[in-house]
Amino acid sequence: MSVSYIVYCGICISVLKELNNIVEEPYMDEPFHVPQAQAYCRGEYASWDPKITTPPGLYIMSVLFKRVFMFKCSLPMLRLTTALTLLALPIVLTRLSCFYRRIRPPASLLTPTTDAIVLSLFPIAWFFGFLYYTEVPSLVFVVATIVAASEDRHWLAGLLGLLSCTFRQTNVIWTIYAYATSQLMYLRYRRPGPGLQQLSKLHDPFADQAKPVDLYKSLLSLPNVLPDILPAFIPYASVLGIFASFVIWNGGIVLGDKSNHIPVLHVPQLYYFFAFSTAFGWPVLVSGAGGIPVLLQKIYARTLGSKSRAFITGVILAVMLYTVKLYTIHHPFLLADNRHYTFYVWHRIYMFHWLAPYALVPAYLVCALAWFLRVGSEQSMLQTIALPIFTLAVLLPTPLLEPRYFMIPYLLMRIQIVNVPSWALVLEGLWYAVINMVTMGVFLYLPREGVGRFMW
């Protein structure tokens, strides 16, 4: 076991102990999850709280821990089950990082890489790893699904993907993403054996060198490689079939509280995601060759470098402004619950002036383009654009601005940036650590009378 992982585990255990000593009663969403888990622990599997929107994977996990490890179903022990998945997060992230780096993972599972430990400190994941929430177990199973797919263990990936859907229904999309990203990497790096004829190729240049015509060329080359990748899709098709059966049986995707979780067209969610990603990931975003000046030069060249580019940029901005006007949603939860940081972001920025949401549109475009250029300098065109497409499928129907929804796509985007200088990795870790200390400190030690404890 590496020293850094021992320190990481020690900090997590210490924080969990302190949280249990101070927050002795279930908080926020825990009053729904904890009684439901305790009912399952008593064997009352027919009992179900109609306010719970997600499947029972979290509660089943607690029951398994109870039966295998003799865990009690008290609040501290239930929180421990999610904290254990937080301890497992660097392990699965290490294997995913090695997949993108094209290197062998460490021989021991208990020696995660430094970048995996830093990413495990990502504030949203780290914070909710100490509460009895579905977020971190869901994240761990999604990453494990992608890892299994990357290792060509597709039936295992299908099983893990199916298990991930028992924590959050939208993980069915990330299960298909696991197939897509694994096959893109497979087609990119496969080589014919000795004496064998040349294999069919998928046109997929590096993203930062690609032009619009390359997308057309990719479509033309797709039929040639389909016979090579379709057999691997069978396990994922099975997951889709099971999920479709669930949706038909349930009458929709959401289990409970359907009136407050009606799918809607929420286009600005993608804009919020890129702004959120930039706020958290800026140390890595600016760490590319040439630093901030070169990144800004590339953004300028892409947006205003010529008359045609300026015209296209103007059209994109006009479309974005229109979608902000038409599809911005003031969700009742966002407007009413002042225990979340998003309440203050919304009231003090987006509701500061009626022009504020529109004034941010150019910033959204710059943030999105910056991430495209940073990821695209290391990944192929299709690999780079695949994640935003799947992210859009996850975020577009969600009416509520919620940082937890951004956690999985952010980490999957960030981990594709493999050439990170040491100084940037250190800065990223320090940035996450400062945010974690502030947010956890505020949550534990600065509750506000009449309001409660502040959290993401």
Side-chain angles (χ1 to χ4, degrees):
M1 184 180 295
S2 65
V3 175
S4 57
Y5 187 51
I6 293 173
V7 172
Y8 171 82
C9 293
I11 292 173
C12 291
I13 297 295
S14 300
V15 171
L16 178 64
K17 182 179 179 181
E18 182 72 359
L19 187 143
N20 282 328
N21 288 336
I22 295 175
V23 188
E24 298 179 337
E25 298 295 329
Y27 189 73
M28 198 62 72
D29 287 359
E30 286 184 327
F32 302 103
H33 294 308
V34 171
Q36 185 62 59
Q38 291 171 338
Y40 270 47
C41 288
R42 294 191 299 267
E44 300 171 8
Y45 299 111
S47 172
W48 186 259
D49 185 340
K51 286 291 184 180
I52 295 175
T53 62
T54 51
L58 181 64
Y59 322 127
I60 294 172
M61 184 176 72
S62 296
V63 171
L64 292 175
F65 274 66
K66 175 178 181 289
R67 293 186 176 180
V68 176
F69 302 108
M70 304 300 290
F71 278 24
K72 295 181 180 179
C73 288
S74 60
L75 177 60
M77 296 305 289
L78 290 175
R79 286 173 175 166
L80 177 60
T81 61
T82 51
L84 289 174
T85 61
L86 184 62
L87 300 185
L89 184 57
I91 297 173
V92 293
L93 284 176
T94 291
R95 301 190 75 86
L96 185 58
S97 175
C98 291
F99 167 61
Y100 285 116
R101 291 173 183 271
R102 308 304 296 174
I103 61 175
R104 292 184 180 275
S108 171
L109 287 176
L110 300 181
T111 56
T113 57
T114 302
D115 64 320
I117 292 177
V118 168
L119 287 178
S120 298
L121 294 174
F122 177 63
I124 308 301
W126 193 82
F127 185 93
F128 286 103
F130 302 108
L131 298 173
Y132 194 63
Y133 274 55
T134 61
E135 268 62 39
V136 179
S138 168
L139 170 62
V140 168
F141 273 96
V142 166
V143 175
T145 300
I146 300 173
V147 169
S150 70
E151 296 174 350
D152 292 328
R153 295 188 290 175
H154 295 291
W155 283 104
L156 176 61
L159 176 60
L160 291 170
L162 186 61
L163 290 175
S164 76
C165 294
T166 66
F167 292 93
R168 281 196 170 273
Q169 297 94 313
T170 50
N171 287 346
V172 68
I173 295 172
W174 298 122
T175 302
I176 305 305
Y177 172 77
Y179 165 77
T181 189
S182 68
Q183 296 308 291
L184 286 173
M185 294 290 275
Y186 163 71
L187 292 172
R188 181 177 170 186
Y189 289 105
R190 68 174 179 166
R191 298 290 183 270
L196 297 180
Q197 63 181 7
Q198 188 68 26
L199 298 171
S200 299
K201 287 285 187 180
L202 177 66
H203 182 76
D204 192 14
F206 274 98
D208 63 345
Q209 301 171 5
K211 299 177 180 179
V213 69
D214 286 305
L215 279 174
Y216 176 69
K217 291 180 179 179
S218 295
L219 288 174
L220 290 181
S221 65
L222 182 60
N224 297 327
V225 299
L226 276 180
D228 299 329
I229 63 174
L230 279 180
F233 185 67
I234 295 174
Y236 307 94
S238 302
V239 174
L240 284 177
I242 295 171
F243 185 80
S245 300
F246 159 76
V247 172
I248 295 171
W249 168 80
N250 184 56
I253 294 177
V254 178
L255 273 175
D257 198 22
K258 295 182 180 180
S259 61
N260 287 316
H261 295 82
I262 299 173
V264 294
L265 193 61
H266 195 185
V267 179
Q269 280 280 46
L270 193 64
Y271 311 154
Y272 307 149
F273 167 69
F274 282 113
F276 167 93
S277 300
T278 304
F280 282 94
W282 63 266
V284 171
L285 191 61
V286 302
S287 68
I292 297 176
V294 171
L295 179 62
L296 293 178
Q297 288 173 9
K298 289 181 178 179
I299 292 173
Y300 178 83
R302 294 262 179 167
T303 55
L304 302 171
S306 65
K307 290 183 179 180
S308 60
R309 288 182 182 273
F311 174 76
I312 294 172
T313 300
V315 172
I316 292 173
L317 288 173
V319 171
M320 292 175 67
L321 288 167
Y322 181 73
T323 56
V324 167
K325 175 180 174 58
L326 204 62
Y327 298 110
T328 295
I329 297 175
H330 299 271
H331 196 280
F333 290 177
L334 186 62
L335 297 174
D337 196 340
N338 60 352
R339 296 168 295 177
H340 293 286
Y341 294 121
T342 48
F343 172 89
Y344 300 95
V345 170
W346 196 258
H347 280 76
R348 296 179 181 178
I349 298 179
Y350 289 93
M351 296 181 67
F352 173 76
H353 191 277
W354 71 270
L355 284 174
Y358 303 101
L360 291 169
V361 166
Y364 296 148
L365 180 60
V366 169
C367 291
L369 189 54
W371 280 104
F372 173 81
L373 292 170
R374 187 66 180 92
V375 176
S377 65
E378 303 184 23
Q379 301 296 335
S380 70
M381 175 187 67
L382 296 178
Q383 188 77 40
T384 302
I385 66 176
L387 184 61
I389 291 172
F390 283 89
T391 299
L392 191 63
V394 171
L395 297 181
L396 201 61
T398 56
L400 179 63
L401 173 59
E402 171 59 76
R404 290 178 290 165
Y405 299 160
F406 302 150
M407 178 181 65
I408 290 177
Y410 171 81
L411 287 172
L412 295 182
M413 179 171 66
R414 162 61 187 85
I415 206 166
Q416 292 186 56
I417 302 175
V418 296
N419 295 318
V420 180
S422 298
W423 65 264
L425 194 61
V426 170
L427 185 58
E428 181 184 28
L430 290 174
W431 179 234
Y432 291 167
V434 168
I435 296 173
N436 288 335
M437 286 189 289
V438 171
T439 53
M440 186 57 73
V442 168
F443 179 74
L444 294 178
Y445 306 119
L446 296 175
R448 186 175 172 184
E449 187 176 354
V451 176
R453 300 182 184 276
F454 294 97
M455 62 190 299
W456 292 108

